[in-house]
Amino acid sequence: MKTTLILLGFLGFVQSLVRVPLSRLPSVRSRLRAAEQLDEFLREHQPDVFSRRYAQCYPPAQHYLSTGGKARERLYNFMDAQFFGQISLGKPEQNFTVVFDTGSSDLWVPSSYCVSQACAMHHKFKAFESSTYTHDGRVFGIHYGSGHLLGVMAREELKVGSVRVQNQVFGEAVYEPGFSFVLAQFDGVLGLGFPQLAEELGSPVFDSMVAQGMLDEPVFSFYLKNNGSEFGGELLFGGVDETRFVSPIIWVPVTQKGYWQIRLDAVKVQGALSFCYRSPQGCQAIVDTGTSLIGGPARDVLLLQQFIGATPTAVGEYLLDCVRISSLPVVSFLINNVEFSLTGEQYVRREMLNNKEICFSGFQSIDIPSPAGPVWILGDVFLSQFYSIYDRGHNRVGLAHLAGKS
């Protein structure tokens, strides 16, 4: 009996930290560019990506899709997503590749009943093959830049890493719009935002893991690796991996529950430019693993692009001379009075097109009105340079320098 108790305790300890390896693959934007279809796609769709994704920042009546009055869903877009992981649903297990996204809070995958072309290119959930499936009956809708994603709600056993979450609410997409989903390298999305972003759809996955006692702490953390290889890093549920970063961890409280939204004291460009400093409350920043670039107010980002010598393209991207990257100015984000700095090598995105290297600025203009001040989006260009920790127990975000980097 004593041996059994020790073994059970050990197994519980093993499951208290849940590791999910992440892969890094080309984004939809990169694949469209390689196929020489990006310009045409953006001209036809002109998706207002940020206003849809960050709908909570806008007046509520303007940016929701209501489906029969039964459910509402926040609006977002994953055209630039490039970090993915694996989950399984049902018994026997059905595997899916998903975006682990701190900028939304719901779980959805394509349904076997999906009628759109995009679903034909991805793994589809077959409810009739699972012994643990429970039909919910509610419907949901998500508005993307290229149309409406529609589906039905259900409950199922979910496997994430080494743990199995029971009776997890999720969405089965029966219609996925647009050409961008056809090229997407992921099947669905697993949201890691606060429940306020998913109040109509039931408990988010992370809340279910905590409620079912699967984790030592209500914490998860991201190590994102952006070095050109397919290994994209790791998502850790239940704590942090101290081998991935160096102390100290800089903690900053969440200012508004929904997104992982924090105060940003200032943005500085090598002592020559500074943004947010005129405002007594600084700016707001949303820490978002589902967004590739760093976004900021259009007026500020335009000045920043001009200062680093980036030139605009016809589709809203900014090009840089690859030869000049080593001489570009450092851009620093002041968070809780600590500077988190990015060199040109770190904020420039490199792509190969027809055996030629093209360099793009990692900054993008957005304009999100907020009573708490201008909003910046700290996407993967920023997060791949630091270890990020999301603490629901204390409603705070932690940032630390990666091990092996100054």
Side-chain angles (χ1 to χ4, degrees):
M1 176 64 73
K2 185 175 180 180
T3 303
T4 304
L5 289 173
I6 292 173
L7 179 59
L8 287 173
F10 174 74
L11 290 174
F13 174 75
V14 169
Q15 287 197 343
S16 65
L17 286 177
V18 180
R19 296 181 184 272
V20 181
L22 301 176
S23 57
R24 181 181 181 273
L25 299 170
S27 67
V28 171
R29 184 184 299 271
S30 297
R31 299 186 71 194
L32 283 169
R33 193 193 321 280
E36 298 183 347
Q37 296 174 322
L38 179 62
D39 289 11
E40 180 183 356
F41 176 83
L42 292 178
R43 279 197 303 270
E44 288 181 359
H45 295 90
Q46 288 296 319
D48 189 359
V49 173
F50 285 101
S51 70
R52 290 189 168 93
R53 182 172 176 82
Y54 302 106
Q56 193 188 52
C57 300
Y58 289 84
Q62 298 178 11
H63 292 271
Y64 296 104
L65 168 66
S66 179
T67 312
K70 296 182 179 179
R72 288 177 177 174
E73 179 49 74
R74 307 299 192 235
L75 317 176
Y76 46 93
N77 186 293
F78 294 96
M79 188 170 171
D80 290 302
Q82 53 186 346
F83 291 97
F84 313 108
Q86 299 292 318
I87 64 169
S88 302
L89 284 164
K91 278 188 177 181
E93 295 175 6
Q94 300 177 43
N95 299 324
F96 299 92
T97 299
V98 297
V99 178
F100 288 96
D101 174 37
T102 59
S104 65
S105 295
D106 299 303
L107 168 63
W108 65 264
V109 296
S111 168
S112 60
Y113 299 107
C114 183
V115 296
S116 61
Q117 179 188 5
C119 291
M121 308 298 291
H122 295 96
H123 296 101
K124 297 179 286 293
F125 179 72
K126 302 178 180 64
F128 51 86
E129 291 186 0
S130 174
S131 61
T132 49
Y133 175 82
T134 303
H135 178 65
D136 184 291
R138 291 176 294 167
V139 296
F140 74 96
I142 304 172
H143 191 166
Y144 287 87
S146 52
H148 301 309
L149 183 147
L150 303 172
V152 296
M153 304 306 300
R155 291 179 180 271
E156 185 56 281
E157 179 176 293
L158 165 70
K159 184 180 179 184
V160 182
S162 58
V163 300
R164 296 181 183 274
V165 183
Q166 303 300 316
N167 205 32
Q168 176 61 49
V169 174
F170 75 106
E172 295 181 71
V174 297
Y175 177 74
E176 294 184 6
F179 187 58
S180 59
F181 275 110
V182 176
L183 287 179
Q185 305 242 33
F186 60 92
D187 303 310
V189 174
L190 192 155
L192 293 169
F194 282 79
Q196 285 84 340
L197 288 183
E199 55 194 353
E200 297 289 336
L201 302 184
S203 175
V205 171
F206 184 67
D207 292 72
S208 297
M209 295 171 78
V210 173
Q212 294 178 28
M214 297 177 172
L215 308 174
D216 268 356
E217 299 179 89
V219 173
F220 61 91
S221 52
F222 274 91
Y223 166 65
L224 299 181
K225 194 171 180 63
N226 193 3
N227 64 351
S229 69
E230 286 196 3
F231 172 65
E234 184 178 68
L235 165 59
L236 187 64
F237 290 104
V240 301
D241 185 342
E242 295 184 352
T243 67
R244 300 290 193 189
F245 64 91
V246 293
S247 296
I249 299 171
I250 306 304
W251 293 103
V252 56
V254 169
T255 56
Q256 181 176 326
K257 295 178 185 177
Y259 305 105
W260 288 91
Q261 185 169 327
I262 61 175
R263 174 190 161 108
L264 175 62
D265 300 325
V267 181
K268 300 180 179 180
V269 187
Q270 201 149 326
L273 290 176
S274 187
F275 308 112
C276 300
Y277 69 95
R278 292 191 186 94
S279 172
Q281 71 268 39
C283 292
Q284 295 290 294
I286 293 172
V287 186
D288 186 0
T289 60
T291 292
S292 176
L293 306 183
I294 297 172
R299 184 177 62 179
D300 295 345
V301 171
L302 179 58
L303 287 172
L304 194 159
Q305 305 281 32
Q306 292 172 343
F307 190 80
I308 65 176
T311 56
T313 69
V315 294
E317 297 177 301
Y318 279 79
L319 288 171
L320 285 156
D321 183 351
C322 297
V323 177
R324 293 182 52 248
I325 290 179
S326 61
S327 62
L328 290 176
V330 171
V331 178
S332 301
F333 296 82
L334 188 65
I335 299 172
N336 202 5
N337 295 315
V338 175
E339 287 192 2
F340 292 86
S341 299
L342 302 180
T343 65
E345 289 284 354
Q346 294 170 327
Y347 63 71
V348 170
R349 297 178 302 133
R350 300 172 182 261
E351 289 188 22
M352 296 298 297
L353 183 64
N354 298 326
N355 296 320
K356 180 182 178 182
E357 186 177 52
I358 305 176
C359 294
F360 297 92
S361 166
F363 300 101
Q364 185 169 4
S365 297
I366 63 168
D367 271 312
I368 301 176
S370 168
V375 177
W376 288 71
I377 310 299
L378 302 181
D380 297 336
V381 167
F382 177 88
L383 294 172
S384 61
Q385 304 304 322
F386 305 100
Y387 194 86
S388 59
I389 307 162
Y390 306 80
D391 184 350
R392 282 283 301 279
H394 298 91
N395 294 323
R396 60 182 182 173
V397 173
L399 295 170
H401 288 277
L402 296 178
K405 291 190 178 184
S406 60

